[in-house]
Amino acid sequence: MINYISKEKDVVWLAYRLKDCLGSRVSINQYGMKQRNLLGYYTDQENKFARINGVDFHIKYSRKEFLRIGIGEIKVREPYEKKLEALKIIGKELSEIKERGGLPIGPPLAFYNSVDEEGKVPTLEWAFCNSLEYSKELSEGTLFDDATIEDLVWINEKLKIKTI
């Protein structure tokens, strides 16, 4: 089982890049960055009340291993369509952020819903190393032990694993 861990320095770096891209449409919990988990809120309007009016997101990131963004884990009752729209916008911005080497992060590997007893969290997943093994674990639903993967859609077809 792949067990990548989000790195604090990478999360902090990504938080600044995301804030540069989205400005006042995002509010970031800086305490969360010290926990290696970027927690924030996104709103589709330019305002300083993203935390109140927005939908929550969480990002885990390790520069050379993986990137994962999920939307709506805290505000579970937000409409699913609102979560998907936020994921689409933030995911596009993340894909275009230039890494330290000058190349963009690029498109995600896959989209899926992470489902547990609390609800459904739309998620985008990137894998920067061991991509085939990572894809296999996504396909088999063994990447997590605390949630189920549903509605898996491959975005990066080159790394798609065919399941029987």
Side-chain angles (χ1 to χ4, degrees), residues 57-97:
F57 64 88
H58 63 276
I59 297 175
K60 293 185 177 183
Y61 179 52
S62 176
R63 180 176 172 229
K64 295 184 180 184
E65 296 172 322
F66 80 110
L67 170 61
R68 177 180 306 130
I69 176 172
I71 304 282
E73 191 171 14
I74 297 170
K75 290 187 172 184
V76 177
R77 297 187 194 273
E78 286 290 337
Y80 185 74
E81 293 76 23
K82 186 174 180 180
K83 294 177 187 181
L84 281 178
E85 185 60 29
L87 182 65
K88 177 181 171 184
I89 292 166
I90 298 172
K92 179 182 178 298
E93 293 297 336
L94 288 171
S95 295
E96 294 173 359
I97 288 174

mmCIF file of all heavy atoms in Angstrom, residues 57-97:
data_model
loop_
_atom_site.group_PDB
_atom_site.id
_atom_site.type_symbol
_atom_site.label_atom_id
_atom_site.label_comp_id
_atom_site.label_asym_id
_atom_site.label_seq_id
_atom_site.Cartn_x
_atom_site.Cartn_y
_atom_site.Cartn_z
ATOM 1 N N PHE A 57 -12.091 23.320 1.381
ATOM 2 C CA PHE A 57 -11.247 22.399 0.632
ATOM 3 C C PHE A 57 -10.087 21.979 1.519
ATOM 4 O O PHE A 57 -9.742 22.653 2.484
ATOM 5 C CB PHE A 57 -10.730 23.020 -0.679
ATOM 6 C CG PHE A 57 -9.834 24.209 -0.517
ATOM 7 C CD1 PHE A 57 -8.465 24.063 -0.358
ATOM 8 C CD2 PHE A 57 -10.362 25.495 -0.542
ATOM 9 C CE1 PHE A 57 -7.636 25.170 -0.217
ATOM 10 C CE2 PHE A 57 -9.537 26.610 -0.411
ATOM 11 C CZ PHE A 57 -8.174 26.444 -0.248
ATOM 12 N N HIS A 58 -9.529 20.840 1.208
ATOM 13 C CA HIS A 58 -8.317 20.389 1.889
ATOM 14 C C HIS A 58 -7.370 19.836 0.827
ATOM 15 O O HIS A 58 -7.796 19.208 -0.138
ATOM 16 C CB HIS A 58 -8.618 19.358 2.976
ATOM 17 C CG HIS A 58 -9.203 18.099 2.444
ATOM 18 N ND1 HIS A 58 -10.543 17.957 2.184
ATOM 19 C CD2 HIS A 58 -8.626 16.919 2.102
ATOM 20 C CE1 HIS A 58 -10.768 16.745 1.711
ATOM 21 N NE2 HIS A 58 -9.631 16.096 1.647
ATOM 22 N N ILE A 59 -6.098 20.150 1.014
ATOM 23 C CA ILE A 59 -5.081 19.720 0.059
ATOM 24 C C ILE A 59 -3.950 19.054 0.823
ATOM 25 O O ILE A 59 -3.484 19.573 1.833
ATOM 26 C CB ILE A 59 -4.523 20.918 -0.742
ATOM 27 C CG1 ILE A 59 -5.633 21.557 -1.581
ATOM 28 C CG2 ILE A 59 -3.356 20.478 -1.626
ATOM 29 C CD1 ILE A 59 -5.203 22.815 -2.323
ATOM 30 N N LYS A 60 -3.529 17.914 0.318
ATOM 31 C CA LYS A 60 -2.326 17.252 0.802
ATOM 32 C C LYS A 60 -1.352 17.236 -0.364
ATOM 33 O O LYS A 60 -1.742 16.980 -1.503
ATOM 34 C CB LYS A 60 -2.640 15.837 1.283
ATOM 35 C CG LYS A 60 -3.514 15.841 2.522
ATOM 36 C CD LYS A 60 -3.729 14.455 3.060
ATOM 37 C CE LYS A 60 -4.549 14.542 4.336
ATOM 38 N NZ LYS A 60 -4.740 13.239 4.945
ATOM 39 N N TYR A 61 -0.075 17.512 -0.054
ATOM 40 C CA TYR A 61 0.888 17.661 -1.132
ATOM 41 C C TYR A 61 2.286 17.289 -0.679
ATOM 42 O O TYR A 61 2.755 17.723 0.369
ATOM 43 C CB TYR A 61 0.865 19.124 -1.601
ATOM 44 C CG TYR A 61 1.828 19.470 -2.702
ATOM 45 C CD1 TYR A 61 1.886 18.752 -3.882
ATOM 46 C CD2 TYR A 61 2.674 20.556 -2.562
ATOM 47 C CE1 TYR A 61 2.761 19.106 -4.894
ATOM 48 C CE2 TYR A 61 3.551 20.932 -3.573
ATOM 49 C CZ TYR A 61 3.594 20.192 -4.738
ATOM 50 O OH TYR A 61 4.455 20.541 -5.733
ATOM 51 N N SER A 62 2.913 16.475 -1.483
ATOM 52 C CA SER A 62 4.327 16.174 -1.348
ATOM 53 C C SER A 62 4.904 16.297 -2.759
ATOM 54 O O SER A 62 4.530 15.522 -3.650
ATOM 55 C CB SER A 62 4.544 14.775 -0.788
ATOM 56 O OG SER A 62 5.919 14.477 -0.759
ATOM 57 N N ARG A 63 5.737 17.269 -2.953
ATOM 58 C CA ARG A 63 6.199 17.697 -4.273
ATOM 59 C C ARG A 63 6.584 16.554 -5.207
ATOM 60 O O ARG A 63 6.236 16.553 -6.372
ATOM 61 C CB ARG A 63 7.371 18.653 -4.089
ATOM 62 C CG ARG A 63 7.939 19.152 -5.377
ATOM 63 C CD ARG A 63 9.032 20.158 -5.109
ATOM 64 N NE ARG A 63 9.707 20.488 -6.343
ATOM 65 C CZ ARG A 63 11.004 20.489 -6.477
ATOM 66 N NH1 ARG A 63 11.784 20.219 -5.474
ATOM 67 N NH2 ARG A 63 11.545 20.797 -7.635
ATOM 68 N N LYS A 64 7.291 15.604 -4.735
ATOM 69 C CA LYS A 64 7.777 14.540 -5.622
ATOM 70 C C LYS A 64 6.949 13.267 -5.535
ATOM 71 O O LYS A 64 7.302 12.259 -6.149
ATOM 72 C CB LYS A 64 9.234 14.237 -5.309
ATOM 73 C CG LYS A 64 10.125 15.421 -5.614
ATOM 74 C CD LYS A 64 11.564 15.107 -5.391
ATOM 75 C CE LYS A 64 12.387 16.340 -5.728
ATOM 76 N NZ LYS A 64 13.798 16.117 -5.630
ATOM 77 N N GLU A 65 5.838 13.324 -4.776
ATOM 78 C CA GLU A 65 5.044 12.108 -4.598
ATOM 79 C C GLU A 65 3.599 12.265 -5.084
ATOM 80 O O GLU A 65 3.178 11.549 -5.985
ATOM 81 C CB GLU A 65 5.061 11.690 -3.131
ATOM 82 C CG GLU A 65 6.446 11.324 -2.658
ATOM 83 C CD GLU A 65 6.527 11.091 -1.162
ATOM 84 O OE1 GLU A 65 5.864 11.808 -0.379
ATOM 85 O OE2 GLU A 65 7.263 10.166 -0.773
ATOM 86 N N PHE A 66 2.832 13.176 -4.476
ATOM 87 C CA PHE A 66 1.413 13.246 -4.808
ATOM 88 C C PHE A 66 0.833 14.620 -4.469
ATOM 89 O O PHE A 66 1.436 15.428 -3.768
ATOM 90 C CB PHE A 66 0.635 12.166 -4.059
ATOM 91 C CG PHE A 66 0.339 12.524 -2.625
ATOM 92 C CD1 PHE A 66 -0.959 12.806 -2.223
ATOM 93 C CD2 PHE A 66 1.344 12.616 -1.670
ATOM 94 C CE1 PHE A 66 -1.239 13.164 -0.909
ATOM 95 C CE2 PHE A 66 1.075 12.957 -0.358
ATOM 96 C CZ PHE A 66 -0.226 13.229 0.024
ATOM 97 N N LEU A 67 -0.376 14.838 -4.976
ATOM 98 C CA LEU A 67 -1.179 16.016 -4.663
ATOM 99 C C LEU A 67 -2.628 15.553 -4.656
ATOM 100 O O LEU A 67 -3.054 14.835 -5.566
ATOM 101 C CB LEU A 67 -0.967 17.106 -5.712
ATOM 102 C CG LEU A 67 -1.884 18.326 -5.702
ATOM 103 C CD1 LEU A 67 -1.774 19.091 -4.394
ATOM 104 C CD2 LEU A 67 -1.565 19.239 -6.881
ATOM 105 N N ARG A 68 -3.371 15.941 -3.627
ATOM 106 C CA ARG A 68 -4.775 15.550 -3.513
ATOM 107 C C ARG A 68 -5.577 16.744 -3.009
ATOM 108 O O ARG A 68 -5.192 17.378 -2.044
ATOM 109 C CB ARG A 68 -4.931 14.393 -2.523
ATOM 110 C CG ARG A 68 -6.362 13.959 -2.282
ATOM 111 C CD ARG A 68 -6.444 12.798 -1.291
ATOM 112 N NE ARG A 68 -5.600 11.700 -1.737
ATOM 113 C CZ ARG A 68 -4.703 11.085 -0.955
ATOM 114 N NH1 ARG A 68 -4.547 11.423 0.306
ATOM 115 N NH2 ARG A 68 -3.962 10.105 -1.429
ATOM 116 N N ILE A 69 -6.666 17.038 -3.699
ATOM 117 C CA ILE A 69 -7.579 18.078 -3.227
ATOM 118 C C ILE A 69 -8.986 17.507 -3.151
ATOM 119 O O ILE A 69 -9.465 16.884 -4.090
ATOM 120 C CB ILE A 69 -7.556 19.341 -4.121
ATOM 121 C CG1 ILE A 69 -8.604 20.345 -3.629
ATOM 122 C CG2 ILE A 69 -7.751 19.004 -5.578
ATOM 123 C CD1 ILE A 69 -8.565 21.689 -4.280
ATOM 124 N N GLY A 70 -9.602 17.713 -1.996
ATOM 125 C CA GLY A 70 -10.988 17.314 -1.777
ATOM 126 C C GLY A 70 -11.798 18.536 -1.383
ATOM 127 O O GLY A 70 -11.290 19.450 -0.730
ATOM 128 N N ILE A 71 -13.051 18.553 -1.780
ATOM 129 C CA ILE A 71 -13.917 19.704 -1.539
ATOM 130 C C ILE A 71 -15.137 19.295 -0.727
ATOM 131 O O ILE A 71 -15.810 18.328 -1.058
ATOM 132 C CB ILE A 71 -14.419 20.307 -2.872
ATOM 133 C CG1 ILE A 71 -13.268 20.682 -3.785
ATOM 134 C CG2 ILE A 71 -15.361 21.477 -2.624
ATOM 135 C CD1 ILE A 71 -12.564 21.950 -3.453
ATOM 136 N N GLY A 72 -15.407 20.046 0.339
ATOM 137 C CA GLY A 72 -16.661 19.884 1.065
ATOM 138 C C GLY A 72 -16.670 18.855 2.164
ATOM 139 O O GLY A 72 -17.713 18.294 2.482
ATOM 140 N N GLU A 73 -15.539 18.606 2.776
ATOM 141 C CA GLU A 73 -15.479 17.634 3.864
ATOM 142 C C GLU A 73 -16.045 18.201 5.166
ATOM 143 O O GLU A 73 -16.608 17.476 5.977
ATOM 144 C CB GLU A 73 -14.034 17.184 4.068
ATOM 145 C CG GLU A 73 -13.898 15.998 4.976
ATOM 146 C CD GLU A 73 -12.482 15.447 4.976
ATOM 147 O OE1 GLU A 73 -11.549 16.121 4.484
ATOM 148 O OE2 GLU A 73 -12.306 14.343 5.478
ATOM 149 N N ILE A 74 -15.913 19.505 5.365
ATOM 150 C CA ILE A 74 -16.411 20.144 6.584
ATOM 151 C C ILE A 74 -17.848 20.605 6.391
ATOM 152 O O ILE A 74 -18.724 20.303 7.200
ATOM 153 C CB ILE A 74 -15.504 21.330 6.982
ATOM 154 C CG1 ILE A 74 -14.106 20.811 7.308
ATOM 155 C CG2 ILE A 74 -16.097 22.074 8.172
ATOM 156 C CD1 ILE A 74 -13.067 21.894 7.479
ATOM 157 N N LYS A 75 -18.090 21.339 5.315
ATOM 158 C CA LYS A 75 -19.450 21.804 5.006
ATOM 159 C C LYS A 75 -20.137 20.732 4.161
ATOM 160 O O LYS A 75 -20.450 20.933 2.986
ATOM 161 C CB LYS A 75 -19.409 23.137 4.264
ATOM 162 C CG LYS A 75 -18.962 24.297 5.126
ATOM 163 C CD LYS A 75 -19.111 25.594 4.356
ATOM 164 C CE LYS A 75 -18.868 26.791 5.227
ATOM 165 N NZ LYS A 75 -19.094 28.046 4.501
ATOM 166 N N VAL A 76 -20.410 19.608 4.780
ATOM 167 C CA VAL A 76 -20.938 18.434 4.089
ATOM 168 C C VAL A 76 -22.263 18.731 3.394
ATOM 169 O O VAL A 76 -22.549 18.193 2.331
ATOM 170 C CB VAL A 76 -21.103 17.263 5.091
ATOM 171 C CG1 VAL A 76 -21.705 16.055 4.420
ATOM 172 C CG2 VAL A 76 -19.770 16.913 5.710
ATOM 173 N N ARG A 77 -23.063 19.590 3.969
ATOM 174 C CA ARG A 77 -24.403 19.847 3.432
ATOM 175 C C ARG A 77 -24.437 20.802 2.238
ATOM 176 O O ARG A 77 -25.491 21.046 1.673
ATOM 177 C CB ARG A 77 -25.315 20.376 4.532
ATOM 178 C CG ARG A 77 -25.508 19.365 5.636
ATOM 179 C CD ARG A 77 -26.538 19.839 6.638
ATOM 180 N NE ARG A 77 -26.506 19.058 7.839
ATOM 181 C CZ ARG A 77 -27.176 17.936 8.023
ATOM 182 N NH1 ARG A 77 -27.930 17.470 7.064
ATOM 183 N NH2 ARG A 77 -27.089 17.288 9.156
ATOM 184 N N GLU A 78 -23.287 21.347 1.860
ATOM 185 C CA GLU A 78 -23.244 22.195 0.667
ATOM 186 C C GLU A 78 -23.710 21.372 -0.535
ATOM 187 O O GLU A 78 -23.441 20.173 -0.615
ATOM 188 C CB GLU A 78 -21.818 22.688 0.404
ATOM 189 C CG GLU A 78 -21.344 23.764 1.337
ATOM 190 C CD GLU A 78 -22.035 25.096 1.127
ATOM 191 O OE1 GLU A 78 -22.569 25.369 0.030
ATOM 192 O OE2 GLU A 78 -22.044 25.878 2.092
ATOM 193 N N PRO A 79 -24.397 21.993 -1.486
ATOM 194 C CA PRO A 79 -24.823 21.252 -2.686
ATOM 195 C C PRO A 79 -23.617 20.651 -3.410
ATOM 196 O O PRO A 79 -22.577 21.296 -3.544
ATOM 197 C CB PRO A 79 -25.507 22.318 -3.545
ATOM 198 C CG PRO A 79 -25.856 23.422 -2.604
ATOM 199 C CD PRO A 79 -24.834 23.384 -1.505
ATOM 200 N N TYR A 80 -23.788 19.425 -3.864
ATOM 201 C CA TYR A 80 -22.714 18.716 -4.545
ATOM 202 C C TYR A 80 -22.235 19.494 -5.772
ATOM 203 O O TYR A 80 -21.040 19.545 -6.054
ATOM 204 C CB TYR A 80 -23.176 17.307 -4.937
ATOM 205 C CG TYR A 80 -22.097 16.471 -5.548
ATOM 206 C CD1 TYR A 80 -21.084 15.939 -4.762
ATOM 207 C CD2 TYR A 80 -22.073 16.215 -6.919
ATOM 208 C CE1 TYR A 80 -20.072 15.171 -5.315
ATOM 209 C CE2 TYR A 80 -21.078 15.445 -7.474
ATOM 210 C CZ TYR A 80 -20.083 14.927 -6.680
ATOM 211 O OH TYR A 80 -19.094 14.171 -7.241
ATOM 212 N N GLU A 81 -23.148 20.132 -6.488
ATOM 213 C CA GLU A 81 -22.793 20.904 -7.679
ATOM 214 C C GLU A 81 -21.861 22.063 -7.320
ATOM 215 O O GLU A 81 -20.959 22.400 -8.071
ATOM 216 C CB GLU A 81 -24.056 21.454 -8.365
ATOM 217 C CG GLU A 81 -24.944 20.379 -8.959
ATOM 218 C CD GLU A 81 -25.757 19.610 -7.917
ATOM 219 O OE1 GLU A 81 -25.999 20.136 -6.801
ATOM 220 O OE2 GLU A 81 -26.135 18.466 -8.224
ATOM 221 N N LYS A 82 -22.077 22.684 -6.167
ATOM 222 C CA LYS A 82 -21.222 23.779 -5.711
ATOM 223 C C LYS A 82 -19.817 23.245 -5.403
ATOM 224 O O LYS A 82 -18.811 23.885 -5.719
ATOM 225 C CB LYS A 82 -21.824 24.439 -4.469
ATOM 226 C CG LYS A 82 -21.095 25.663 -3.992
ATOM 227 C CD LYS A 82 -21.834 26.332 -2.844
ATOM 228 C CE LYS A 82 -21.102 27.563 -2.363
ATOM 229 N NZ LYS A 82 -21.804 28.226 -1.263
ATOM 230 N N LYS A 83 -19.746 22.057 -4.828
ATOM 231 C CA LYS A 83 -18.455 21.428 -4.547
ATOM 232 C C LYS A 83 -17.708 21.129 -5.852
ATOM 233 O O LYS A 83 -16.508 21.371 -5.967
ATOM 234 C CB LYS A 83 -18.648 20.132 -3.761
ATOM 235 C CG LYS A 83 -19.198 20.319 -2.370
ATOM 236 C CD LYS A 83 -19.415 18.953 -1.726
ATOM 237 C CE LYS A 83 -20.113 19.041 -0.403
ATOM 238 N NZ LYS A 83 -20.297 17.722 0.209
ATOM 239 N N LEU A 84 -18.441 20.583 -6.832
ATOM 240 C CA LEU A 84 -17.816 20.253 -8.121
ATOM 241 C C LEU A 84 -17.287 21.502 -8.831
ATOM 242 O O LEU A 84 -16.200 21.472 -9.409
ATOM 243 C CB LEU A 84 -18.809 19.534 -9.035
ATOM 244 C CG LEU A 84 -19.040 18.067 -8.761
ATOM 245 C CD1 LEU A 84 -20.082 17.509 -9.728
ATOM 246 C CD2 LEU A 84 -17.755 17.270 -8.851
ATOM 247 N N GLU A 85 -18.052 22.570 -8.790
ATOM 248 C CA GLU A 85 -17.612 23.813 -9.436
ATOM 249 C C GLU A 85 -16.334 24.336 -8.777
ATOM 250 O O GLU A 85 -15.401 24.756 -9.461
ATOM 251 C CB GLU A 85 -18.725 24.862 -9.384
ATOM 252 C CG GLU A 85 -18.401 26.124 -10.140
ATOM 253 C CD GLU A 85 -18.139 25.923 -11.629
ATOM 254 O OE1 GLU A 85 -18.685 24.985 -12.238
ATOM 255 O OE2 GLU A 85 -17.364 26.726 -12.190
ATOM 256 N N ALA A 86 -16.284 24.316 -7.455
ATOM 257 C CA ALA A 86 -15.078 24.755 -6.741
ATOM 258 C C ALA A 86 -13.893 23.856 -7.085
ATOM 259 O O ALA A 86 -12.779 24.341 -7.315
ATOM 260 C CB ALA A 86 -15.326 24.759 -5.233
ATOM 261 N N LEU A 87 -14.120 22.555 -7.147
ATOM 262 C CA LEU A 87 -13.047 21.612 -7.487
ATOM 263 C C LEU A 87 -12.518 21.881 -8.892
ATOM 264 O O LEU A 87 -11.304 21.865 -9.126
ATOM 265 C CB LEU A 87 -13.543 20.169 -7.367
ATOM 266 C CG LEU A 87 -12.506 19.092 -7.636
ATOM 267 C CD1 LEU A 87 -11.397 19.134 -6.588
ATOM 268 C CD2 LEU A 87 -13.163 17.715 -7.660
ATOM 269 N N LYS A 88 -13.411 22.153 -9.805
ATOM 270 C CA LYS A 88 -13.016 22.433 -11.192
ATOM 271 C C LYS A 88 -12.103 23.665 -11.253
ATOM 272 O O LYS A 88 -11.050 23.644 -11.889
ATOM 273 C CB LYS A 88 -14.268 22.653 -12.038
ATOM 274 C CG LYS A 88 -14.014 23.010 -13.460
ATOM 275 C CD LYS A 88 -15.336 23.231 -14.184
ATOM 276 C CE LYS A 88 -15.119 23.812 -15.557
ATOM 277 N NZ LYS A 88 -16.376 24.114 -16.228
ATOM 278 N N ILE A 89 -12.486 24.721 -10.563
ATOM 279 C CA ILE A 89 -11.718 25.968 -10.609
ATOM 280 C C ILE A 89 -10.373 25.822 -9.895
ATOM 281 O O ILE A 89 -9.328 26.169 -10.438
ATOM 282 C CB ILE A 89 -12.543 27.126 -10.023
ATOM 283 C CG1 ILE A 89 -13.709 27.419 -10.970
ATOM 284 C CG2 ILE A 89 -11.684 28.362 -9.801
ATOM 285 C CD1 ILE A 89 -14.783 28.297 -10.390
ATOM 286 N N ILE A 90 -10.397 25.290 -8.681
ATOM 287 C CA ILE A 90 -9.140 25.134 -7.931
ATOM 288 C C ILE A 90 -8.228 24.123 -8.622
ATOM 289 O O ILE A 90 -7.021 24.329 -8.720
ATOM 290 C CB ILE A 90 -9.404 24.741 -6.470
ATOM 291 C CG1 ILE A 90 -10.190 25.846 -5.759
ATOM 292 C CG2 ILE A 90 -8.092 24.486 -5.734
ATOM 293 C CD1 ILE A 90 -10.666 25.472 -4.364
ATOM 294 N N GLY A 91 -8.802 23.035 -9.125
ATOM 295 C CA GLY A 91 -8.011 22.026 -9.833
ATOM 296 C C GLY A 91 -7.318 22.596 -11.059
ATOM 297 O O GLY A 91 -6.151 22.292 -11.334
ATOM 298 N N LYS A 92 -8.025 23.445 -11.812
ATOM 299 C CA LYS A 92 -7.427 24.089 -12.986
ATOM 300 C C LYS A 92 -6.259 24.979 -12.561
ATOM 301 O O LYS A 92 -5.190 24.949 -13.176
ATOM 302 C CB LYS A 92 -8.481 24.914 -13.718
ATOM 303 C CG LYS A 92 -7.964 25.635 -14.939
ATOM 304 C CD LYS A 92 -9.068 26.470 -15.580
ATOM 305 C CE LYS A 92 -8.604 27.240 -16.777
ATOM 306 N NZ LYS A 92 -7.571 28.218 -16.528
ATOM 307 N N GLU A 93 -6.457 25.757 -11.505
ATOM 308 C CA GLU A 93 -5.379 26.632 -11.019
ATOM 309 C C GLU A 93 -4.176 25.811 -10.544
ATOM 310 O O GLU A 93 -3.032 26.152 -10.832
ATOM 311 C CB GLU A 93 -5.878 27.540 -9.898
ATOM 312 C CG GLU A 93 -6.890 28.566 -10.340
ATOM 313 C CD GLU A 93 -6.379 29.582 -11.345
ATOM 314 O OE1 GLU A 93 -5.154 29.824 -11.408
ATOM 315 O OE2 GLU A 93 -7.212 30.142 -12.073
ATOM 316 N N LEU A 94 -4.432 24.728 -9.802
ATOM 317 C CA LEU A 94 -3.334 23.874 -9.338
ATOM 318 C C LEU A 94 -2.555 23.301 -10.518
ATOM 319 O O LEU A 94 -1.327 23.256 -10.495
ATOM 320 C CB LEU A 94 -3.868 22.737 -8.465
ATOM 321 C CG LEU A 94 -4.365 23.120 -7.075
ATOM 322 C CD1 LEU A 94 -5.065 21.936 -6.416
ATOM 323 C CD2 LEU A 94 -3.228 23.616 -6.206
ATOM 324 N N SER A 95 -3.256 22.867 -11.547
ATOM 325 C CA SER A 95 -2.610 22.280 -12.725
ATOM 326 C C SER A 95 -1.669 23.256 -13.414
ATOM 327 O O SER A 95 -0.665 22.855 -13.995
ATOM 328 C CB SER A 95 -3.663 21.819 -13.736
ATOM 329 O OG SER A 95 -4.430 20.777 -13.211
ATOM 330 N N GLU A 96 -2.001 24.538 -13.339
ATOM 331 C CA GLU A 96 -1.217 25.555 -14.043
ATOM 332 C C GLU A 96 -0.100 26.161 -13.201
ATOM 333 O O GLU A 96 0.755 26.878 -13.728
ATOM 334 C CB GLU A 96 -2.154 26.661 -14.537
ATOM 335 C CG GLU A 96 -3.114 26.145 -15.598
ATOM 336 C CD GLU A 96 -4.173 27.164 -16.007
ATOM 337 O OE1 GLU A 96 -4.181 28.289 -15.458
ATOM 338 O OE2 GLU A 96 -4.986 26.817 -16.870
ATOM 339 N N ILE A 97 -0.077 25.884 -11.905
ATOM 340 C CA ILE A 97 0.988 26.421 -11.053
ATOM 341 C C ILE A 97 2.323 25.850 -11.514
ATOM 342 O O ILE A 97 2.468 24.649 -11.729
ATOM 343 C CB ILE A 97 0.726 26.082 -9.568
ATOM 344 C CG1 ILE A 97 -0.450 26.923 -9.058
ATOM 345 C CG2 ILE A 97 1.973 26.309 -8.717
ATOM 346 C CD1 ILE A 97 -0.890 26.572 -7.644
#
